[in-house]
């Protein structure tokens, strides 16, 4: 019988031991488990001999100094642990290699490694157990981030009335890539930031303290997403890089010298990010979510939250008469350095913004020459 090493293995050190995990292996839908197996140097040497389909006798010939029975016993253990596959067992990994051939190992590990998480329920008993674990690790993270020593621009609360029909806004939403020189008004900026990011109301989350609700859904109302605004062409606000303080509805100045040149670099020269009235760098404060939700599937939730929030931004900007854009193409580590965040506890996720659109905003068909742009996200 021929065997082959599983092609969906990831190895890492865990609590002083080296483990291999087959992220493609099926998990139980009832038990929160992983597929990690502790291995030693001998096991790794044996697995290395099974890069391609190999039979036991060929392996024994390659290991003349080893007792044949001990080798056979070790191969049986590795097979039972799922680290060696038979031809019948290799169908899924061959399908993975074919369907995901253009994506790297880390993409595969993230997706399949976070599948089939066990939901423990939300009854009082489970809630208390989860809260106890969280509280034992320390107090809940603050729900608002602020820079107390920063110069602050207080934004008006005289918001624009968003009275366009909902169907009209949905059909009018487009990704705009060209903007005029006309500035975004302060009231427009204030309206978009408020209805996208600010708390609409607050809730008592019992053990987890006071939480707030946005116009976008957020897993467990953790609302881990923060907005940093590069003001480029807004009436009444000096250009620069700001943090949006959503508790006070204000802009906190982080870098007065930050402008179009820096945005051009960070956004890979995408002109809509440079010529917009303002560009937003969206980050995630990981601990806000991980404090309550400790399974790695939570990272998926954070990504979904970012998508929800970006769509809300697009719709609000459209309703306010602006042209929105969004892109995942940016220099992650350089963005984080510019924002002054560490990239671990707080990490960059998304880039979007808005400006005075040069094209139609009524949902008319877009120019397909624009749609062919490699960064088009319409």
């Amino acid at each position: 019988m021929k065997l082959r090493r599983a092609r969906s293995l990831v190895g890492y050190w865990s609590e002083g031991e080296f483990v291999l995990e087959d992220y493609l292996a099926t998990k139980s839908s009832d038990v929160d488990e992983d597929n990690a197996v502790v291995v030693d140097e001998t096991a790794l040497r044996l697995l290395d001999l099974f890069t391609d389909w190999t039979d036991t006798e060929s392996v024994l010939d390659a290991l003349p100094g080893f007792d044949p029975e001990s080798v056979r016993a070790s191969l049986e253990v590795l097979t039972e642990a799922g680290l060696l596959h038979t031809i019948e067992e290799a169908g899924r990994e061959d399908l993975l290699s074919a369907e995901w051939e253009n994506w790297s190992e880390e993409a595969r590990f993230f997706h399949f490694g976070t599948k089939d998480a066990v939901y423990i329920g939300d009854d009082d008993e489970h809630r208390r157990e989860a809260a106890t674990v969280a509280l034992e690790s320390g107090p809940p993270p603050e729900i608002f981030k602020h820079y107390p020593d920063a110069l602050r621009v207080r934004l008006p609360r005289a918001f624009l009335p968003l009275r366009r029909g909902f169907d009209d806004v949905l059909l009018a939403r487009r990704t705009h890539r060209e903007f005029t020189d006309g500035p975004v008004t302060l009231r427009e900026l204030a309206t978009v930031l408020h209805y996208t990011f600010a708390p609409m109301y607050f809730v008592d989350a019992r053990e987890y303290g006071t939480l707030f609700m946005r116009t976008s859904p957020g897993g467990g109302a953790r609302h881990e997403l923060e907005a940093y605004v590069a003001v480029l062409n807004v009436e009444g606000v000096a250009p620069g890089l700001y943090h949006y303080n959503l508790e006070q509805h204000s802009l906190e100045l982080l870098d007065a010298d930050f402008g179009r040149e820096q945005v051009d670099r960070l956004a890979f020269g995408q002109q809509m990010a440079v010529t917009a009235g303002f560009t937003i760098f969206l980050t995630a404060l990981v601990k806000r979510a991980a404090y309550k939700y400790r399974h790695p599937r939570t990272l998926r939730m954070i990504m979904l939250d970012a998508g929800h929030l970006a769509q809300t931004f697009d719709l609000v900007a459209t309703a306010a008469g602006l042209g929105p854009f969004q892109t995942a193409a940016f220099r992650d580590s350089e963005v984080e350095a510019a924002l002054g965040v560490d990239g671990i506890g707080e990490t960059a996720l998304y880039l979007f913004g808005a400006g005075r659109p040069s094209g139609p905003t009524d949902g008319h068909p877009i120019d397909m020459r624009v749609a062919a742009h490699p960064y088009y996200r319409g």
Side-chain angles (χ1 to χ4, degrees):
M1 179 179 64
K2 290 191 174 184
L3 300 170
R4 187 180 70 187
R5 184 179 68 248
R7 292 186 170 178
S8 47
L9 296 179
V10 171
Y12 51 90
W13 294 100
S14 176
E15 298 181 354
E17 296 180 309
F18 190 75
V19 299
L20 291 176
E21 180 175 350
D22 182 2
Y23 55 78
L24 193 59
T26 302
K27 301 175 184 177
S28 170
S29 60
D30 300 315
V31 180
D32 194 3
E33 62 179 0
D34 59 35
N35 296 308
V37 179
V38 177
V39 293
D40 58 17
E41 185 178 351
T42 301
L44 291 173
R45 182 175 179 182
L46 282 173
L47 289 170
D48 186 51
L49 297 173
F50 287 90
T51 300
D52 294 312
W53 292 110
T54 306
D55 57 45
T56 303
E57 296 307 314
S58 298
V59 171
L60 291 174
D61 291 342
L63 299 171
F66 286 77
D67 174 57
E69 291 307 313
S70 68
V71 172
R72 289 190 177 91
S74 296
L75 294 182
E76 185 176 345
V77 170
L78 293 174
T79 302
E80 290 179 354
L83 302 181
L84 289 175
H85 287 170
T86 65
I87 293 177
E88 292 75 20
E89 295 170 332
R92 274 175 56 79
E93 62 185 29
D94 287 341
L95 180 62
L96 175 66
S97 296
E99 297 291 339
W100 291 58
E101 63 178 337
N102 295 325
W103 289 350
S104 63
E105 198 67 31
E106 55 263 35
R108 304 176 189 192
F109 187 30
F110 165 72
H111 178 74
F112 292 97
T114 57
K115 285 185 69 171
D116 299 319
V118 176
Y119 180 64
I120 63 171
D122 198 29
D123 56 42
D124 286 342
E125 180 181 355
H126 285 126
R127 179 184 54 78
R128 284 193 297 268
E129 289 177 359
T132 298
V133 171
L135 291 170
E136 286 176 350
S137 69
E142 295 292 334
I143 62 173
F144 296 119
K145 181 177 183 178
H146 57 90
Y147 293 81
D149 298 326
L151 294 175
R152 183 169 287 106
V153 177
R154 298 193 181 277
L155 298 172
R157 294 186 180 273
F159 305 117
L160 292 173
L162 304 178
R163 293 174 180 165
R164 293 179 65 175
F166 185 60
D167 56 345
D168 177 43
V169 173
L170 283 176
L171 295 175
R173 189 224 54 87
R174 288 290 182 270
T175 296
H176 291 263
R177 305 195 66 84
E178 296 181 0
F179 300 103
T180 70
D181 294 333
V184 171
T185 68
L186 182 59
R187 195 178 178 193
E188 288 170 336
L189 174 65
T191 298
V192 172
L193 292 180
H194 170 75
Y195 284 117
T196 303
F197 299 104
M200 296 295 106
Y201 58 92
F202 295 86
V203 295
D204 179 3
R206 292 178 284 188
E207 296 92 340
Y208 295 105
T210 300
L211 300 176
F212 65 88
M213 299 295 180
R214 280 176 168 153
T215 53
S216 298
R222 305 310 298 171
H223 294 303
E224 65 284 343
L225 303 174
E226 292 285 325
Y228 295 81
V229 185
V231 172
L232 304 173
N233 189 11
V234 177
E235 288 180 349
V237 183
L241 178 64
Y242 298 81
H243 171 254
Y244 177 55
N245 183 320
L246 53 94
E247 179 183 23
Q248 299 181 356
H249 187 53
S250 65
L251 294 175
E252 298 168 322
L253 181 62
L254 303 182
D255 185 353
D257 296 324
F258 190 94
R260 298 186 190 278
E261 181 179 351
Q262 288 77 15
V263 172
D264 184 64
R265 166 70 186 176
L266 297 176
F268 289 102
Q270 297 176 83
Q271 285 305 294
M272 80 283 192
V274 178
T275 59
F278 61 96
T279 293
I280 293 176
F281 301 98
L282 190 72
T283 69
L285 278 165
V286 175
K287 192 172 182 180
R288 275 193 199 155
Y291 177 80
K292 179 178 181 181
Y293 299 113
R294 308 207 161 198
H295 194 279
R297 190 180 181 89
T298 304
L299 183 55
R300 281 203 201 189
M301 181 188 78
I302 292 174
M303 303 294 186
L304 294 170
D305 288 349
H308 297 151
L309 195 146
Q311 176 69 351
T312 297
F313 172 88
D314 282 0
L315 295 176
V316 173
T318 300
L322 299 176
F325 72 88
Q326 61 286 315
T327 178
F330 58 87
R331 302 178 190 273
D332 300 62
S333 296
E334 291 186 33
V335 165
E336 290 158 353
L339 302 181
V341 302
D342 57 23
I344 298 175
E346 184 173 0
T347 184
L349 288 185
Y350 214 168
L351 187 157
F352 47 82
R356 189 70 57 207
S358 62
T361 59
D362 56 2
H364 289 171
I366 58 175
D367 188 332
M368 291 309 295
R369 291 172 297 178
V370 175
H373 190 283
Y375 288 121
Y376 179 68
R377 292 292 184 273

